[in-house]
Amino acid sequence: ENDNAPQITISSVSDVISEDAKPGAVIAFINIVDRDSGDNGETVCQVQERIPFRLISSFTNYYTLELNGSLDREQTPKYNITIIAADKGSPSLSTMKTICVEISDIN
């Protein structure tokens, strides 16, 4: 039975990043745990918005949130990055967490 939603743990969050940061800069480490077994315990994780950040799977249920583009503080001074974890159960259960990252000015 699929009675547990995935749990998202976020650690080592950089809540400020320089607008001249290079793609690949790590913003946070993310771990997803689902206490169910079988498909009910298998999870997928993604970021919700179309933003210059991406999730990279490093190990099973472990991800890094990385910069995946260029930043312009004048255009977008901060990002609210929503991370969604969903299990493969039927019906699927999901959890969301949001990280706020401010962009620091270099000009």
Side-chain angles (χ1 to χ4, degrees):
E1 186 173 340
N2 192 20
D3 52 359
N4 294 297
Q7 297 175 332
I8 301 172
T9 303
I10 301 171
S11 57
S12 301
V13 177
S14 297
D15 53 2
V16 177
I17 186 169
S18 174
E19 70 179 337
D20 68 345
K22 303 291 185 232
V26 174
I27 309 305
F29 295 99
I30 299 160
N31 175 259
I32 309 298
V33 176
D34 192 314
R35 295 181 302 169
D36 292 316
S37 59
D39 285 347
N40 296 337
E42 289 188 35
T43 60
V44 292
C45 190
Q46 62 188 15
V47 289
Q48 186 175 34
E49 301 86 0
R50 294 186 184 277
I51 52 175
F53 300 93
R54 66 179 175 181
L55 286 173
I56 302 294
S57 178
S58 50
F59 298 100
T60 303
N61 296 331
Y62 287 88
Y63 299 84
T64 55
L65 178 66
E66 298 181 356
L67 182 61
N68 187 34
S70 59
L71 300 171
D72 183 348
R73 184 183 184 283
E74 286 72 28
Q75 186 177 29
T76 309
K78 75 175 181 179
Y79 289 90
N80 289 312
I81 305 166
T82 302
I83 298 160
I84 304 168
D87 63 30
K88 295 181 180 178
S90 181
S92 177
L93 298 175
S94 63
T95 303
M96 296 188 325
K97 277 200 175 179
T98 301
I99 300 171
C100 181
V101 177
E102 293 189 28
I103 310 306
S104 63
D105 199 359
I106 60 160
N107 299 352

